[in-house]
Amino acid sequence: MKKKIIVNPAIYPVFIIAIVGTIILIQRLITTETYINTAQEVATYIYMLAMAFSVFYLGRYIIKPVPLSYDNNEIVIKMYFRNDVRLSYKEIVKAEYYNRYMRLIIHTKQKKYKFTFVIKTSELKEILKKKVKDSDF
Protein backbone atom coordinates (compact mmCIF):
# COMPACT_ATOMS: atom_id res chain seq x y z
CA MET A 1 0.00 0.00 0.00
CA LYS A 2 1.38 3.38 -0.97
CA LYS A 3 1.93 5.96 1.76
CA LYS A 4 1.74 9.68 1.12
CA ILE A 5 3.90 12.53 2.30
CA ILE A 6 1.81 15.54 3.38
CA VAL A 7 2.36 19.28 3.73
CA ASN A 8 2.71 20.61 7.26
CA PRO A 9 -0.78 21.94 8.17
CA ALA A 10 0.71 24.69 10.37
CA ILE A 11 1.69 26.59 7.22
CA TYR A 12 -1.96 27.25 6.23
CA PRO A 13 -2.75 29.79 9.02
CA VAL A 14 0.54 31.56 8.29
CA PHE A 15 -0.46 31.82 4.63
CA ILE A 16 -3.91 33.19 5.53
CA ILE A 17 -2.41 35.81 7.86
CA ALA A 18 0.06 36.84 5.16
CA ILE A 19 -2.77 37.29 2.65
CA VAL A 20 -4.78 39.41 5.10
CA GLY A 21 -1.70 41.53 5.89
CA THR A 22 -1.00 42.06 2.21
CA ILE A 23 -4.61 43.10 1.55
CA ILE A 24 -4.48 45.59 4.43
CA LEU A 25 -1.23 47.06 3.10
CA ILE A 26 -2.62 47.34 -0.43
CA GLN A 27 -5.71 49.07 0.92
CA ARG A 28 -3.49 51.47 2.85
CA LEU A 29 -1.51 52.25 -0.29
CA ILE A 30 -4.62 52.84 -2.40
CA THR A 31 -6.43 55.09 0.07
CA THR A 32 -5.00 58.50 0.89
CA GLU A 33 -3.12 58.28 4.13
CA THR A 34 -1.28 61.09 5.79
CA TYR A 35 2.21 59.95 6.62
CA ILE A 36 4.38 61.64 9.22
CA ASN A 37 7.31 61.77 6.83
CA THR A 38 8.57 60.30 3.57
CA ALA A 39 10.49 57.55 5.36
CA GLN A 40 7.25 56.10 6.74
CA GLU A 41 5.71 56.06 3.26
CA VAL A 42 8.79 54.40 1.72
CA ALA A 43 8.84 51.82 4.54
CA THR A 44 5.18 51.00 3.81
CA TYR A 45 5.99 50.38 0.13
CA ILE A 46 8.97 48.18 0.98
CA TYR A 47 7.00 46.22 3.57
CA MET A 48 4.17 45.70 1.07
CA LEU A 49 6.61 44.30 -1.48
CA ALA A 50 8.11 41.97 1.15
CA MET A 51 4.64 40.73 2.16
CA ALA A 52 3.65 40.15 -1.47
CA PHE A 53 6.83 38.15 -2.05
CA SER A 54 6.27 36.05 1.08
CA VAL A 55 2.68 35.31 0.02
CA PHE A 56 3.98 34.21 -3.39
CA TYR A 57 6.77 32.10 -1.85
CA LEU A 58 4.45 30.32 0.59
CA GLY A 59 1.68 30.01 -1.98
CA ARG A 60 3.81 28.00 -4.37
CA TYR A 61 3.90 25.13 -1.88
CA ILE A 62 0.37 25.48 -0.54
CA ILE A 63 -1.62 25.78 -3.76
CA LYS A 64 -0.12 22.61 -5.21
CA PRO A 65 0.40 20.08 -2.42
CA VAL A 66 3.23 17.57 -2.24
CA PRO A 67 2.54 14.96 -4.93
CA LEU A 68 4.64 12.18 -3.42
CA SER A 69 3.71 8.64 -2.47
CA TYR A 70 5.98 5.70 -1.76
CA ASP A 71 6.21 2.05 -0.87
CA ASN A 72 9.08 -0.43 -0.51
CA ASN A 73 9.65 -0.72 -4.28
CA GLU A 74 9.27 2.78 -5.74
CA ILE A 75 8.45 6.44 -5.27
CA VAL A 76 5.66 7.94 -7.37
CA ILE A 77 5.71 11.69 -8.05
CA LYS A 78 2.44 13.03 -9.42
CA MET A 79 3.22 15.58 -12.10
CA TYR A 80 0.41 17.98 -12.80
CA PHE A 81 -0.67 18.06 -16.47
CA ARG A 82 1.96 15.40 -17.33
CA ASN A 83 2.52 11.72 -16.78
CA ASP A 84 3.44 10.57 -13.28
CA VAL A 85 7.10 9.89 -12.56
CA ARG A 86 7.93 6.49 -11.07
CA LEU A 87 11.35 6.22 -9.48
CA SER A 88 12.79 2.95 -8.31
CA TYR A 89 15.25 3.30 -5.47
CA LYS A 90 18.06 2.18 -7.80
CA GLU A 91 17.54 5.29 -9.97
CA ILE A 92 18.03 7.66 -7.03
CA VAL A 93 21.60 8.93 -6.87
CA LYS A 94 21.32 11.02 -3.70
CA ALA A 95 18.62 11.81 -1.15
CA GLU A 96 18.70 14.70 1.33
CA TYR A 97 16.36 15.85 4.07
CA TYR A 98 16.76 19.14 5.90
CA ASN A 99 14.77 19.00 9.13
CA ARG A 100 15.08 22.72 9.80
CA TYR A 101 13.40 23.63 6.51
CA MET A 102 11.25 20.47 6.25
CA ARG A 103 12.72 19.99 2.77
CA LEU A 104 13.21 16.69 0.98
CA ILE A 105 15.47 16.65 -2.09
CA ILE A 106 15.79 13.61 -4.34
CA HIS A 107 18.55 13.59 -6.99
CA THR A 108 18.43 11.30 -10.01
CA LYS A 109 20.80 11.26 -12.97
CA GLN A 110 18.43 13.39 -15.03
CA LYS A 111 16.67 15.68 -12.56
CA LYS A 112 16.44 17.00 -9.02
CA TYR A 113 13.07 16.91 -7.21
CA LYS A 114 12.39 19.29 -4.28
CA PHE A 115 9.59 18.94 -1.76
CA THR A 116 9.14 21.64 0.88
CA PHE A 117 7.17 21.80 4.17
CA VAL A 118 6.83 18.00 4.29
CA ILE A 119 6.05 15.99 7.42
CA LYS A 120 5.60 12.30 8.25
CA THR A 121 8.79 11.37 6.46
CA SER A 122 10.36 9.06 9.06
CA GLU A 123 9.43 5.82 7.25
CA LEU A 124 10.57 7.20 3.89
CA LYS A 125 13.87 8.33 5.40
CA GLU A 126 14.46 4.85 6.80
CA ILE A 127 13.77 3.26 3.41
CA LEU A 128 16.04 5.77 1.65
CA LYS A 129 18.85 5.14 4.16
CA LYS A 130 18.72 1.42 3.39
CA LYS A 131 18.28 1.55 -0.38
CA VAL A 132 20.14 4.70 -1.52
CA LYS A 133 23.94 4.78 -1.30
CA ASP A 134 24.36 8.52 -0.82
CA SER A 135 21.75 9.71 1.67
CA ASP A 136 22.08 12.73 3.94
CA PHE A 137 19.64 12.79 6.84
Side-chain angles (χ1 to χ4, degrees):
M1 184 171 132
K2 295 214 179 282
K3 297 177 184 167
K4 292 190 176 210
I5 301 290
I6 62 170
V7 172
N8 189 350
I11 202 69
Y12 295 111
V14 172
F15 183 65
I16 292 169
I17 290 170
I19 288 176
V20 170
T22 304
I23 291 171
I24 290 170
L25 281 173
I26 290 172
Q27 176 204 3
R28 186 172 178 178
L29 289 174
I30 292 173
T31 59
T32 54
E33 292 279 333
T34 55
Y35 295 101
I36 295 172
N37 54 22
T38 309
Q40 184 183 15
E41 186 174 0
V42 170
T44 304
Y45 291 130
I46 292 171
Y47 189 67
M48 208 293 286
L49 288 173
M51 285 292 287
F53 175 75
S54 66
V55 166
F56 167 74
Y57 183 76
L58 287 175
R60 292 184 309 162
Y61 301 110
I62 290 176
I63 292 171
K64 66 173 192 188
V66 178
L68 181 68
S69 59
Y70 66 94
D71 60 5
N72 285 329
N73 299 323
E74 66 183 1
I75 295 175
V76 178
I77 303 170
K78 183 176 186 321
M79 302 299 278
Y80 298 102
F81 308 111
R82 287 184 267 159
N83 293 336
D84 295 348
V85 175
R86 296 184 178 279
L87 298 174
S88 69
Y89 292 108
K90 294 176 185 175
E91 296 175 24
I92 298 173
V93 176
K94 184 177 182 180
E96 303 171 284
Y97 182 75
Y98 298 101
N99 197 27
R100 181 177 181 184
Y101 307 110
M102 294 184 284
R103 180 176 294 154
L104 174 68
I105 302 173
I106 298 173
H107 299 269
T108 62
K109 291 180 181 176
Q110 294 85 17
K111 197 169 181 182
K112 178 167 77 169
Y113 301 97
K114 287 185 182 180
F115 306 96
T116 306
F117 300 122
V118 295
I119 59 174
K120 296 187 177 182
T121 58
S122 58
E123 290 181 30
L124 178 61
K125 289 192 292 188
E126 292 299 322
I127 292 171
L128 288 171
K129 279 181 188 176
K130 292 176 186 173
K131 297 191 175 189
V132 176
K133 293 178 184 175
D134 189 6
S135 60
D136 184 16
F137 298 114

